[in-house]
Amino acid sequence: MSTVPKSAVPKSAPPRSADPSASAILPTYARAPVAFERGEGSWLVTAEGERYLDFGAGIAVNSLGHGHPHLVGALTAQAAKLWHTSNLFGQPDGERLARRLADASFADLVFFCNSGAEALEAAIKTTRKYHAAGGHPERYRIVTFEGAFHGRTLATIAAGGQKKYLDGFGPKVDGFDQVPFGDLKALEAAIGPETAGILIEPIQGEGGLRATPPGFLRALRALCDRHGLLLVLDEVQTGVGRTGRLFAHEREGIVPDVMALAKGLGGGFPVGACLATREAARGMTAGVHGTTFGGNPLAMAVANAVLDVVLADGFVEGVARKGALLAQRLAELKDTHPRVIEEVRGEGLLAGLKLRPPVADFAAAARDARLVVIPAGDNVARLLPPLTVSEDELAEGVRRLDAACRAIEAALPAGAAA
Ligand SMILES: *Cc1c(COP(=O)(O)O)cnc(C)c1O
């Protein structure tokens, strides 16, 4: 018995494209001409069996590498039990994850969602609602920084303030005032009676691994306290161990009021989180915000499994140790290839090379050497291996970076100045 209504079956579908091999995916990404079929730890493997060393980790997402047995076990066990019930019911694994995140951070409360941009949306709404709940709905503006990246929703492109992401999408969402990165004077001048908070990445990820100057986060904390603002950190890329600390802001011994997480939290399963103090979240009561999929049992099971590994004794310290080793090797590489590498940046396993030749050329040369790196702004190639990468794999990655540098140099005009 057919259940397909006749009207749903087209009699003769018109040809959609002159080229039957043309992609039906909306072309919003310039994709590298390679696809992977499976992954094993720090390695990606194509259908043809070619092995690439993965220093991209899906843009700092696959924090425990590919096919980690503890994550595979958690996901498959949960897949056999329960996938989704909605937030209209209790979520025991979500309760547990929220408690663990709160215990490991400044936060009292956690909102779960599915991506970084959604975590930022929740953070922005929490910040505005905090002032509204305190009787000051006019305080809704948030100061952000040039070069920032907070996601691709309408509010988060306004927060990021980058022309290339705003162009053509109509009026920019109101309520974001942007100042130069690291400029305390400009920041103070931007604070007015409508300011609600300050939003910043402790290290700009997409912006090219630009770190806040030493003491800057402490200065922001003091400014927020003085003006009654919320300090909102975007640790979507820097969080969950990536910089050799559980959260990058720990470097300055400060705490934010609100913090967005995503990327590494799910180890490859989509999950985001907005963490806040009870005070900062005072406006976020029943019904004011929501999500259908956020905090679903699959995401909660996997993120709890990620924390089992990342919160284990010595794991984050191990990331710091491997990060220091990588930084040292990269400094040597820069000395060997001054015509290619201008500067080594980053912290922990959020490392990067500021390049002289175009980063796209370097990424292609690295790919030829079977190494995945991730281009960022400011002509930087990001090196983001899984946090579980071995010291041997780090050394192998640096050998492949050296090969990429040599290939680039061979193509430079002879005698070109460093
Ligand atoms: C990736 C990223 C986002 C956006 O995350 P999505 O999951 O792509 O929405 C926001 N902020 C920072 C710092 C990021 O690196």
Side-chain angles (χ1 to χ4, degrees):
M1 188 175 72
S2 170
T3 55
V4 181
K6 273 264 148 49
S7 60
V9 184
K11 288 202 181 63
S12 62
R16 305 288 178 83
S17 165
D19 175 5
S21 70
S23 175
I25 296 176
L26 195 73
T28 54
Y29 277 92
R31 294 168 193 272
V34 60
F36 301 106
E37 189 186 60
R38 62 180 199 279
E40 301 160 2
S42 304
W43 297 84
L44 284 166
V45 189
T46 67
E48 293 74 38
E50 285 170 340
R51 294 170 65 81
Y52 286 68
L53 185 53
D54 186 8
F55 273 24
I59 322 184
V61 166
N62 303 100
S63 44
L64 305 186
H66 304 279
H68 191 292
H70 188 55
L71 302 197
V72 173
L75 180 62
T76 52
Q78 187 60 47
K81 282 199 293 191
L82 185 66
W83 290 22
H84 179 80
T85 60
S86 88
N87 285 304
L88 302 177
F89 302 96
Q91 298 281 4
D93 286 343
E95 294 288 348
R96 177 159 176 261
L97 182 63
R99 175 59 52 212
R100 295 171 87 188
L101 286 171
D103 287 349
S105 74
F106 69 95
D108 302 308
L109 298 165
V110 183
F111 176 82
F112 290 115
C113 52
N114 314 287
S115 69
E118 283 175 86
L120 265 302
E121 289 275 344
I124 293 163
K125 289 176 77 174
T126 298
T127 303
R128 291 181 173 190
K129 200 76 169 176
Y130 165 80
H131 291 286
H136 290 283
E138 79 284 1
R139 297 184 70 173
Y140 69 97
R141 307 194 68 83
I142 296 177
V143 183
T144 65
F145 294 86
E146 286 172 9
F149 182 81
H150 298 299
R152 299 296 200 104
T153 61
L154 288 169
T156 55
I157 56 176
Q162 298 200 39
K163 192 177 175 316
K164 62 181 174 184
Y165 298 143
L166 285 160
D167 260 4
F169 293 120
K172 185 177 143 186
V173 170
D174 182 36
F176 299 96
D177 299 305
Q178 206 160 45
V179 299
F181 190 67
D183 187 338
L184 215 49
K185 281 246 150 54
L187 174 61
E188 291 206 56
I191 295 172
E194 295 185 344
T195 306
I198 300 173
L199 166 61
I200 191 167
E201 300 156 85
I203 301 173
Q204 288 189 342
E206 309 300 308
L209 298 195
R210 297 197 301 164
T212 49
F216 194 72
L217 294 181
R218 276 198 298 278
L220 291 191
R221 179 70 270 174
L223 264 181
C224 285
D225 292 344
R226 179 146 20 103
H227 294 277
L229 310 177
L230 296 189
L231 179 58
V232 185
L233 294 183
D234 181 348
E235 292 233 26
V236 166
Q237 191 157 158
T238 53
V240 199
R242 179 53 59 183
T243 67
R245 291 183 170 83
L246 189 58
F247 303 113
H249 66 263
E250 294 170 7
R251 160 171 52 107
E252 297 221 351
I254 58 111
V255 291
D257 301 295
V258 182
M259 176 169 74
L261 297 178
K263 293 202 164 88
L265 179 60
F269 197 93
V271 58
C274 177
L275 284 65
T277 63
R278 192 172 299 282
E279 171 68 5
R282 67 185 178 186
M284 301 303 273
T285 52
V288 308
H289 191 49
T291 164
T292 299
F293 292 121
N296 71 77
L298 295 171
M300 298 299 98
V302 178
N304 269 310
V306 169
L307 288 194
D308 291 342
V309 176
V310 173
L311 294 180
D313 267 355
F315 183 85
V316 170
E317 291 78 3
V319 174
R321 189 172 35 74
K322 288 184 283 192
L325 188 75
L326 178 62
Q328 186 185 332
R329 294 264 163 80
L330 294 177
E332 290 162 13
L333 196 69
K334 170 181 171 289
D335 290 343
T336 314
H337 302 286
R339 291 202 297 163
V340 180
I341 302 169
E342 188 180 319
E343 193 187 336
V344 177
R345 292 185 181 173
E347 205 172 302
L349 292 176
L350 183 70
L353 302 173
K354 165 122 173 105
L355 300 162
R356 295 183 193 281
V359 63
D361 295 354
F362 187 84
R367 209 163 52 239
D368 290 343
R370 300 282 183 270
L371 176 72
V372 175
V373 304
I374 308 276
D378 206 20
N379 209 42
V380 167
R382 271 174 292 178
L383 312 171
L384 315 166
L387 306 183
T388 48
V389 68
S390 71
E391 292 189 10
D392 283 349
E393 287 165 342
L394 283 179
E396 180 58 31
V398 173
R399 272 194 288 280
R400 293 177 187 214
L401 288 169
D402 180 60
C405 288
R406 279 186 281 111
I408 296 261
E409 280 161 351
L412 287 176

